[in-house]
Amino acid sequence: MISQTGMAATKLADIDATVNDAARKVMEQHGIPGLAIAITAQGQQRFYNFGLTSKTTQQPVTRDTLFEVGSVSKTLTATLAAYAEAEGKLSLTDSPGRHLPALQDTALEPVSLINLATHTAGGFPLQLPDEVGDEQQLNDYFSTWQPQHTPGSYRIYANPSIGLLGRATAASLGLSYTDALQTQLLPKLGMSSTYIAVPTGDMPRYAQGYNQKGEPVRLNPALLAAEAYGVKTTSEDLLKFVEAQLGVIKIDDKVIQAMAATRTGYYRVGEMTQALVWEQYRYPVALKDLLVGNSSKMALEPHPVETITPPLAPQLDVWINKTGSTNGFGAYVAFVPARQLGIVILANRYYPNEERVKLAYRILTHLAE
């Protein structure tokens, strides 16, 4: 909790009222059973928990409840890739074939790991095609892939792109992706309640997700899920990741280097700067620009990009964010380095990205006042 020595009791009560009001309104509007919100302000934390992890068990949400975070997982994949570079295992300018020999001398040769991490490889689909069902078919898919555009010319949001980034990174480290994430990166971030596969002993903490019809659903294992959208974590663990980005907590120097690399800007799409998975906006930012950048149109349609030359070094006066969804969960993470502010919002029902952005914007804007 934020201590009253760090923030006046009147201000604290005001923030509590804002969060409670905003959270309960969005839960009611979208039929969300459970919601966890974690904020950090100048290194001081506060956790807000609403509703139930499951309509059946009636177990209340806590900071230790495990949620599926969907594409927020991609930020960890990018961080792992940048960490592998800091360790001298790869260069982000490498093509994936340098680490996955089966992909050498294919159309992926001019594609860099930076292209994969910025969705500018040239035209992967949003999802891996249904007919790709095993490892051999996956290798065949990537080795025969043909781009629609020159690498670095269009942003086309795609799970296969980040999946391939994760596979190449893991190969450079000599591990499976799950092992690389859970042994090389998460311990250094202190994220001890973050998993690809939830251990049996932690299953009681795993929230039940609900789809748009209100039916209970959870994520099924699938090719590239681990790398692109398969992480389950808690609001407390994800806030540690945010605080590491803000420099609030002490961590491994190479992880600090890696996180800075992921916040380097490579392309512009309108008001949004595309870093390695992270998306950022000049701060202060207009809500309308965040809504455009986090819209379905941005995710589902190709967008021409403006290359930033040289790449933009990590900035302080920026709003940095990432949304994430599965069929039964909705997540959003945002932070503002210059103000030392960050927020994590996790829900066990899918609801529109725009509503998550509005919720976070209301809370962080109030905190910044």
Side-chain angles (χ1 to χ4, degrees), residues 126-178:
L126 177 62
Q127 304 290 359
L128 195 65
D130 290 340
E131 61 269 20
V132 181
D134 59 35
E135 290 291 336
Q136 184 57 56
Q137 291 171 340
L138 184 64
N139 284 332
D140 291 345
Y141 170 74
F142 281 128
S143 62
T144 60
W145 172 81
Q146 293 294 320
Q148 300 169 313
H149 306 281
T150 303
S153 62
Y154 277 80
R155 180 190 187 271
I156 303 174
Y157 190 82
N159 284 328
S161 182
I162 304 302
L164 183 55
L165 173 69
R167 291 292 179 102
T169 299
S172 78
L173 294 168
L175 297 165
S176 71
Y177 176 78
T178 297

Side-chain angles (χ1 to χ4, degrees), residues 165-230:
L165 173 69
R167 291 292 179 102
T169 299
S172 78
L173 294 168
L175 297 165
S176 71
Y177 176 78
T178 297
D179 285 346
L181 181 69
Q182 297 196 166
T183 66
Q184 301 296 301
L185 183 61
L186 296 180
K188 292 181 174 65
L189 289 164
M191 297 175 69
S192 57
S193 286
T194 300
Y195 310 105
I196 300 298
V198 178
T200 301
D202 288 295
M203 285 298 290
R205 295 198 285 134
Y206 186 0
Q208 176 63 63
Y210 295 89
N211 65 19
Q212 294 182 67
K213 296 180 180 179
E215 300 164 337
V217 291
R218 277 188 179 147
L219 188 64
N220 293 318
L223 288 170
L224 304 184
E227 298 88 344
Y229 53 85

Side-chain angles (χ1 to χ4, degrees), residues 278-292:
W278 291 115
E279 300 149 14
Q280 57 191 42
Y281 304 79
R282 292 187 186 93
Y283 187 84
V285 59
L287 177 58
K288 64 179 178 63
D289 292 332
L290 289 176
L291 295 177
V292 169

Side-chain angles (χ1 to χ4, degrees), residues 33-335:
L35 188 70
I37 298 176
I39 60 175
T40 178
Q42 295 80 49
Q44 299 175 47
Q45 302 175 341
R46 194 158 182 83
F47 296 90
Y48 301 87
N49 302 292
F50 306 90
L52 305 172
T53 65
S54 166
K55 297 176 186 178
T56 302
T57 67
Q58 298 285 296
Q59 184 177 339
V61 169
T62 74
R63 70 177 72 178
D64 296 318
T65 300
L66 290 163
F67 291 81
E68 296 172 13
V69 297
S71 287
V72 173
S73 308
K74 293 178 171 65
T75 63
L76 290 169
T77 303
T79 306
L80 184 66
Y83 176 76
E85 182 177 59
E87 286 282 359
K89 302 297 186 180
L90 59 75
S91 169
L92 291 170
T93 59
D94 291 344
S95 72
R98 179 162 186 180
H99 306 283
L100 299 168
L103 303 184
Q104 292 175 1
D105 302 319
T106 69
L108 284 162
E109 200 64 34
V111 174
S112 70
L113 300 182
I114 290 170
N115 292 136
L116 295 178
T118 55
H119 307 289
T120 59
F124 283 109
L126 177 62
Q127 304 290 359
L128 195 65
D130 290 340
E131 61 269 20
V132 181
D134 59 35
E135 290 291 336
Q136 184 57 56
Q137 291 171 340
L138 184 64
N139 284 332
D140 291 345
Y141 170 74
F142 281 128
S143 62
T144 60
W145 172 81
Q146 293 294 320
Q148 300 169 313
H149 306 281
T150 303
S153 62
Y154 277 80
R155 180 190 187 271
I156 303 174
Y157 190 82
N159 284 328
S161 182
I162 304 302
L164 183 55
L165 173 69
R167 291 292 179 102
T169 299
S172 78
L173 294 168
L175 297 165
S176 71
Y177 176 78
T178 297
D179 285 346
L181 181 69
Q182 297 196 166
T183 66
Q184 301 296 301
L185 183 61
L186 296 180
K188 292 181 174 65
L189 289 164
M191 297 175 69
S192 57
S193 286
T194 300
Y195 310 105
I196 300 298
V198 178
T200 301
D202 288 295
M203 285 298 290
R205 295 198 285 134
Y206 186 0
Q208 176 63 63
Y210 295 89
N211 65 19
Q212 294 182 67
K213 296 180 180 179
E215 300 164 337
V217 291
R218 277 188 179 147
L219 188 64
N220 293 318
L223 288 170
L224 304 184
E227 298 88 344
Y229 53 85
V231 166
K232 296 88 179 171
T233 189
T234 67
S235 61
E236 184 172 38
D237 250 26
L238 206 46
L239 195 67
K240 291 177 184 176
F241 188 39
V242 170
E243 290 196 326
Q245 300 281 354
L246 294 173
V248 170
I249 57 177
K250 283 192 172 184
I251 54 170
D252 181 275
D253 286 345
K254 289 182 178 177
V255 177
I256 294 173
Q257 180 182 335
M259 290 190 302
T262 66
R263 300 194 304 273
T264 299
Y266 289 94
Y267 299 100
R268 286 195 181 91
V269 183
E271 297 301 317
M272 187 265 283
T273 295
Q274 180 68 67
L276 301 185
V277 175
W278 291 115
E279 300 149 14
Q280 57 191 42
Y281 304 79
R282 292 187 186 93
Y283 187 84
V285 59
L287 177 58
K288 64 179 178 63
D289 292 332
L290 289 176
L291 295 177
V292 169
N294 289 285
S295 66
S296 296
K297 183 177 181 179
M298 183 63 74
L300 299 176
E301 297 179 12
H303 295 271
V305 299
E306 174 192 346
T307 303
I308 302 173
T309 307
L312 183 67
Q315 303 291 295
L316 294 178
D317 284 313
V318 285
W319 174 293
I320 303 171
N321 74 183
K322 185 72 188 79
T323 61
S325 303
T326 60
N327 284 337
F329 291 82
Y332 184 62
V333 175
F335 55 97

